[in-house]
Amino acid sequence: MSKRDLPSATVSVRPGLRSDIPNTVLSRWNPEVNAAASDDASISILDVIGSDWFGEGVTAKRISAALRAIGKKDVTVVINSPGGDYFEGLAIYNLLRDHPANVTVKVVGIAASAASVIAMAGDDIQIARAGFMMIHNTWVIAAGDRHSLRDVADWLEPFDNMAVDIYAARSGLEPKALGKMLDNETWIGGSEAVDQGFADALLPADEIESKTKNSAEGKSVSAAQKVDSLLARMNVSRSERRELIQALKGGTPSAAATGMSGAAVITEVESLLESIKSIRS
Protein backbone atom coordinates (compact mmCIF):
# COMPACT_ATOMS: atom_id res chain seq x y z
CA MET A 1 0.00 0.00 0.00
CA SER A 2 1.02 3.62 -0.36
CA LYS A 3 1.94 5.47 2.81
CA ARG A 4 -0.21 8.29 1.45
CA ASP A 5 -3.22 6.31 2.70
CA LEU A 6 -1.92 6.31 6.28
CA PRO A 7 -3.33 8.74 8.85
CA SER A 8 -1.20 11.59 10.10
CA ALA A 9 -0.32 11.31 13.80
CA THR A 10 -1.01 14.05 16.33
CA VAL A 11 2.10 14.58 18.45
CA SER A 12 1.81 15.96 21.96
CA VAL A 13 3.75 15.82 25.19
CA ARG A 14 2.78 16.20 28.80
CA PRO A 15 5.18 17.56 31.43
CA GLY A 16 6.01 15.04 34.14
CA LEU A 17 5.44 11.97 31.95
CA ARG A 18 8.26 9.80 30.66
CA SER A 19 7.61 7.26 27.92
CA ASP A 20 9.62 4.14 28.72
CA ILE A 21 10.61 0.66 27.50
CA PRO A 22 9.41 -2.39 29.47
CA ASN A 23 12.28 -4.60 30.64
CA THR A 24 10.64 -7.56 28.85
CA VAL A 25 11.34 -5.75 25.57
CA LEU A 26 14.93 -4.79 26.38
CA SER A 27 15.69 -8.40 27.28
CA ARG A 28 14.68 -9.53 23.76
CA TRP A 29 16.54 -6.83 21.87
CA ASN A 30 19.89 -7.71 20.30
CA PRO A 31 21.50 -4.33 19.48
CA GLU A 32 24.17 -5.95 17.29
CA VAL A 33 21.75 -6.92 14.49
CA ASN A 34 22.06 -4.63 11.47
CA ALA A 35 21.65 -4.58 7.71
CA ALA A 36 24.50 -6.22 5.78
CA ALA A 37 24.83 -3.22 3.49
CA SER A 38 23.75 0.42 3.31
CA ASP A 39 24.15 3.44 1.06
CA ASP A 40 23.72 7.22 1.11
CA ALA A 41 19.94 6.83 0.83
CA SER A 42 19.66 4.61 3.93
CA ILE A 43 18.62 5.65 7.43
CA SER A 44 19.43 3.39 10.38
CA ILE A 45 17.14 3.18 13.40
CA LEU A 46 19.22 0.85 15.56
CA ASP A 47 18.81 2.34 19.01
CA VAL A 48 16.14 3.44 21.46
CA ILE A 49 13.65 5.99 20.18
CA GLY A 50 14.21 9.39 21.72
CA SER A 51 17.23 10.81 23.51
CA ASP A 52 18.71 8.28 25.93
CA TRP A 53 20.81 8.63 29.09
CA PHE A 54 23.84 9.89 27.15
CA GLY A 55 21.91 12.25 24.91
CA GLU A 56 22.02 9.65 22.13
CA GLY A 57 19.22 7.59 20.57
CA VAL A 58 17.04 8.12 17.50
CA THR A 59 15.24 11.47 17.46
CA ALA A 60 12.91 13.20 15.02
CA LYS A 61 15.56 15.93 14.68
CA ARG A 62 18.13 13.39 13.51
CA ILE A 63 15.73 11.70 11.06
CA SER A 64 14.65 15.08 9.68
CA ALA A 65 18.28 16.01 9.02
CA ALA A 66 18.92 12.67 7.31
CA LEU A 67 15.88 13.10 5.06
CA ARG A 68 16.97 16.61 4.11
CA ALA A 69 20.40 15.28 3.15
CA ILE A 70 18.84 12.52 1.01
CA GLY A 71 16.47 14.92 -0.70
CA LYS A 72 13.50 13.89 -2.81
CA LYS A 73 14.85 10.40 -3.47
CA ASP A 74 13.75 6.93 -2.48
CA VAL A 75 14.93 6.03 1.01
CA THR A 76 15.52 2.78 2.89
CA VAL A 77 14.91 2.72 6.64
CA VAL A 78 16.59 -0.11 8.58
CA ILE A 79 15.01 -0.83 11.98
CA ASN A 80 16.21 -2.80 14.98
CA SER A 81 14.86 -0.94 18.00
CA PRO A 82 13.13 -1.74 21.30
CA GLY A 83 11.11 1.47 21.03
CA GLY A 84 11.26 4.19 23.64
CA ASP A 85 9.69 7.64 23.53
CA TYR A 86 6.31 7.01 21.89
CA PHE A 87 5.70 10.68 21.12
CA GLU A 88 9.11 11.01 19.43
CA GLY A 89 8.19 7.88 17.49
CA LEU A 90 5.00 9.50 16.22
CA ALA A 91 7.00 12.51 15.03
CA ILE A 92 9.39 10.22 13.12
CA TYR A 93 6.42 8.33 11.65
CA ASN A 94 5.02 11.64 10.35
CA LEU A 95 8.37 12.58 8.78
CA LEU A 96 8.60 9.30 6.88
CA ARG A 97 4.93 9.37 5.92
CA ASP A 98 5.39 12.84 4.43
CA HIS A 99 8.58 12.01 2.51
CA PRO A 100 7.84 12.75 -1.17
CA ALA A 101 9.55 9.63 -2.56
CA ASN A 102 9.24 5.91 -1.88
CA VAL A 103 10.10 4.64 1.61
CA THR A 104 11.22 1.02 2.08
CA VAL A 105 11.31 -0.22 5.67
CA LYS A 106 13.49 -3.21 6.59
CA VAL A 107 12.98 -4.69 10.07
CA VAL A 108 16.20 -6.64 10.57
CA GLY A 109 15.71 -7.38 14.29
CA ILE A 110 12.75 -6.08 16.25
CA ALA A 111 10.49 -3.09 15.81
CA ALA A 112 8.83 -2.81 19.19
CA SER A 113 6.47 -0.23 20.63
CA ALA A 114 7.25 3.21 19.14
CA ALA A 115 9.52 1.56 16.56
CA SER A 116 6.60 -0.54 15.29
CA VAL A 117 4.64 2.65 14.60
CA ILE A 118 7.63 4.06 12.70
CA ALA A 119 7.80 0.85 10.66
CA MET A 120 4.24 1.40 9.42
CA ALA A 121 5.34 4.54 7.52
CA GLY A 122 6.80 2.60 4.61
CA ASP A 123 5.42 2.09 1.12
CA ASP A 124 7.04 -1.34 1.31
CA ILE A 125 7.76 -3.11 4.62
CA GLN A 126 10.09 -6.10 4.80
CA ILE A 127 10.84 -8.05 7.96
CA ALA A 128 13.37 -10.74 8.82
CA ARG A 129 11.93 -14.22 9.20
CA ALA A 130 13.39 -14.26 12.72
CA GLY A 131 12.35 -10.64 13.33
CA PHE A 132 9.50 -9.37 15.46
CA MET A 133 7.14 -6.47 15.77
CA MET A 134 5.61 -5.73 19.15
CA ILE A 135 2.54 -3.58 19.66
CA HIS A 136 1.11 -2.42 22.97
CA ASN A 137 -0.64 0.49 24.64
CA THR A 138 1.36 3.65 25.28
CA TRP A 139 3.72 2.85 28.16
CA VAL A 140 4.80 5.66 30.47
CA ILE A 141 6.18 6.35 33.91
CA ALA A 142 4.03 8.72 35.96
CA ALA A 143 3.74 9.81 39.57
CA GLY A 144 0.88 11.37 41.50
CA ASP A 145 -2.28 10.66 43.47
CA ARG A 146 -5.29 8.71 42.16
CA HIS A 147 -6.84 11.81 40.59
CA SER A 148 -3.65 12.70 38.73
CA LEU A 149 -3.17 9.11 37.50
CA ARG A 150 -6.79 8.91 36.29
CA ASP A 151 -6.18 12.09 34.37
CA VAL A 152 -3.01 10.62 32.84
CA ALA A 153 -4.91 7.48 31.77
CA ASP A 154 -7.59 9.58 30.09
CA TRP A 155 -4.94 11.70 28.38
CA LEU A 156 -3.18 8.59 27.02
CA GLU A 157 -6.27 6.91 25.57
CA PRO A 158 -6.36 8.95 22.31
CA PHE A 159 -2.76 7.92 21.60
CA ASP A 160 -3.68 4.25 21.90
CA ASN A 161 -6.60 4.89 19.54
CA MET A 162 -4.22 6.64 17.15
CA ALA A 163 -1.94 3.60 17.14
CA VAL A 164 -4.94 1.39 16.36
CA ASP A 165 -5.84 3.66 13.42
CA ILE A 166 -2.30 3.45 12.04
CA TYR A 167 -2.06 -0.34 12.40
CA ALA A 168 -5.55 -0.78 10.94
CA ALA A 169 -4.76 1.39 7.90
CA ARG A 170 -1.64 -0.67 7.23
CA SER A 171 -2.87 -4.18 8.03
CA GLY A 172 -6.58 -4.05 7.26
CA LEU A 173 -7.34 -5.71 10.61
CA GLU A 174 -10.42 -4.66 12.55
CA PRO A 175 -9.79 -1.87 15.10
CA LYS A 176 -11.49 -3.87 17.87
CA ALA A 177 -9.16 -6.81 17.31
CA LEU A 178 -6.15 -4.50 17.21
CA GLY A 179 -7.24 -2.87 20.47
CA LYS A 180 -7.13 -6.28 22.15
CA MET A 181 -3.69 -6.93 20.68
CA LEU A 182 -2.44 -3.68 22.18
CA ASP A 183 -4.01 -4.54 25.54
CA ASN A 184 -2.16 -7.88 25.54
CA GLU A 185 1.28 -6.56 24.41
CA THR A 186 1.39 -8.70 21.28
CA TRP A 187 4.61 -10.00 19.69
CA ILE A 188 4.29 -10.70 15.96
CA GLY A 189 6.92 -12.87 14.26
CA GLY A 190 8.19 -12.28 10.73
CA SER A 191 5.92 -14.67 8.82
CA GLU A 192 2.94 -13.74 10.97
CA ALA A 193 3.58 -10.03 10.34
CA VAL A 194 3.35 -10.68 6.59
CA ASP A 195 0.25 -12.85 6.97
CA GLN A 196 -1.51 -10.21 9.09
CA GLY A 197 -0.57 -7.28 6.84
CA PHE A 198 1.93 -5.54 9.15
CA ALA A 199 4.62 -6.26 6.54
CA ASP A 200 4.63 -6.95 2.80
CA ALA A 201 7.42 -9.51 2.49
CA LEU A 202 10.13 -11.41 4.34
CA LEU A 203 13.62 -9.96 4.19
CA PRO A 204 16.30 -12.17 2.54
CA ALA A 205 18.65 -13.62 5.16
CA ASP A 206 21.75 -12.35 3.36
CA GLU A 207 20.66 -8.76 3.98
CA ILE A 208 21.15 -9.14 7.75
CA GLU A 209 24.32 -9.35 9.80
CA SER A 210 25.19 -9.53 13.49
CA LYS A 211 28.22 -7.54 14.59
CA THR A 212 29.45 -10.05 17.16
CA LYS A 213 32.76 -8.22 17.51
CA ASN A 214 30.83 -5.55 19.44
CA SER A 215 28.91 -8.01 21.63
CA ALA A 216 30.55 -6.88 24.90
CA GLU A 217 29.71 -3.27 24.19
CA GLY A 218 26.20 -4.15 23.04
CA LYS A 219 25.46 -6.11 26.22
CA SER A 220 26.81 -3.27 28.35
CA VAL A 221 24.62 -0.74 26.51
CA SER A 222 21.54 -2.93 27.00
CA ALA A 223 22.32 -3.34 30.71
CA ALA A 224 22.77 0.41 31.13
CA GLN A 225 19.38 1.03 29.52
CA LYS A 226 17.76 -1.37 31.98
CA VAL A 227 19.50 0.42 34.84
CA ASP A 228 18.32 3.78 33.53
CA SER A 229 14.75 2.48 33.48
CA LEU A 230 15.03 1.23 37.07
CA LEU A 231 16.43 4.55 38.28
CA ALA A 232 13.73 6.49 36.45
CA ARG A 233 11.07 4.51 38.28
CA MET A 234 12.68 5.66 41.51
CA ASN A 235 12.13 9.26 40.30
CA VAL A 236 15.88 9.83 40.00
CA SER A 237 16.43 12.80 37.70
CA ARG A 238 17.90 12.30 34.24
CA SER A 239 21.12 14.14 35.11
CA GLU A 240 21.55 12.04 38.25
CA ARG A 241 20.92 8.82 36.29
CA ARG A 242 23.52 9.76 33.71
CA GLU A 243 26.14 10.51 36.36
CA LEU A 244 25.43 7.25 38.20
CA ILE A 245 25.63 5.10 35.07
CA GLN A 246 28.84 6.78 33.93
CA ALA A 247 30.38 6.17 37.35
CA LEU A 248 29.32 2.51 37.40
CA LYS A 249 30.70 1.89 33.92
CA GLY A 250 34.04 3.53 34.48
CA GLY A 251 33.33 7.22 34.04
CA THR A 252 32.72 7.69 30.31
CA PRO A 253 30.46 6.21 27.60
CA SER A 254 33.55 4.88 25.77
CA ALA A 255 34.32 2.68 28.77
CA ALA A 256 31.30 0.49 28.01
CA ALA A 257 33.27 -2.44 26.67
CA THR A 258 36.02 -2.33 29.31
CA GLY A 259 34.12 -1.22 32.40
CA MET A 260 31.89 -3.30 34.65
CA SER A 261 29.92 -6.18 33.16
CA GLY A 262 26.17 -5.81 32.71
CA ALA A 263 25.47 -8.16 35.64
CA ALA A 264 27.88 -6.26 37.90
CA VAL A 265 26.30 -2.93 36.95
CA ILE A 266 22.81 -4.19 37.77
CA THR A 267 23.96 -5.73 41.07
CA GLU A 268 25.63 -2.47 42.05
CA VAL A 269 22.54 -0.47 41.12
CA GLU A 270 20.25 -2.75 43.14
CA SER A 271 22.39 -1.88 46.15
CA LEU A 272 22.30 1.77 45.14
CA LEU A 273 18.51 1.72 44.86
CA GLU A 274 18.24 0.46 48.43
CA SER A 275 20.41 3.38 49.54
CA ILE A 276 18.24 5.84 47.60
CA LYS A 277 15.11 4.40 49.21
CA SER A 278 16.52 4.80 52.71
CA ILE A 279 17.66 8.37 52.00
CA ARG A 280 14.28 9.43 50.54
CA SER A 281 12.15 7.70 53.18
Side-chain angles (χ1 to χ4, degrees), residues 22-210:
N23 288 332
T24 54
V25 180
L26 281 175
S27 66
R28 298 182 66 164
W29 177 47
N30 179 0
E32 296 124 46
V33 175
N34 195 354
S38 62
D39 55 36
D40 292 340
S42 295
I43 295 175
S44 295
I45 298 180
L46 306 172
D47 206 336
V48 298
I49 306 302
S51 184
D52 66 8
W53 29 268
F54 284 130
E56 299 174 354
V58 182
T59 64
K61 182 178 180 179
R62 179 193 139 191
I63 299 302
S64 179
L67 289 171
R68 284 197 303 273
I70 292 169
K72 298 180 180 181
K73 297 188 297 185
D74 293 349
V75 62
T76 297
V77 180
V78 178
I79 299 179
N80 177 30
S81 170
D85 188 325
Y86 180 68
F87 310 105
E88 195 79 9
L90 289 177
I92 294 171
Y93 161 87
N94 280 337
L95 288 170
L96 295 175
R97 174 188 174 274
D98 294 338
H99 184 63
N102 191 77
V103 174
T104 298
V105 170
K106 296 184 177 183
V107 179
V108 296
I110 69 172
S113 188
S116 71
V117 174
I118 294 171
M120 296 299 99
D123 294 282
D124 182 52
I125 303 172
Q126 302 170 27
I127 184 171
R129 187 178 296 276
F132 282 93
M133 291 188 185
M134 188 279 279
I135 63 176
H136 66 167
N137 291 320
T138 312
W139 213 87
V140 299
I141 294 174
D145 62 19
R146 58 191 173 90
H147 302 294
S148 298
L149 294 179
R150 264 195 210 102
D151 185 43
V152 168
D154 291 340
W155 184 81
L156 287 174
E157 187 173 359
F159 293 100
D160 295 335
N161 294 336
M162 186 183 306
V164 166
D165 289 344
I166 292 170
Y167 296 131
R170 162 56 64 183
S171 68
L173 295 176
E174 290 295 324
K176 186 174 181 180
L178 282 163
K180 289 181 179 179
M181 293 173 73
L182 265 65
D183 288 342
N184 294 330
E185 188 182 294
T186 302
W187 288 84
I188 307 163
S191 295
E192 189 180 5
V194 174
D195 292 342
Q196 294 188 6
F198 290 96
D200 300 299
L202 291 173
L203 191 63
D206 61 1
E207 292 195 26
I208 305 167
E209 70 174 8
S210 181

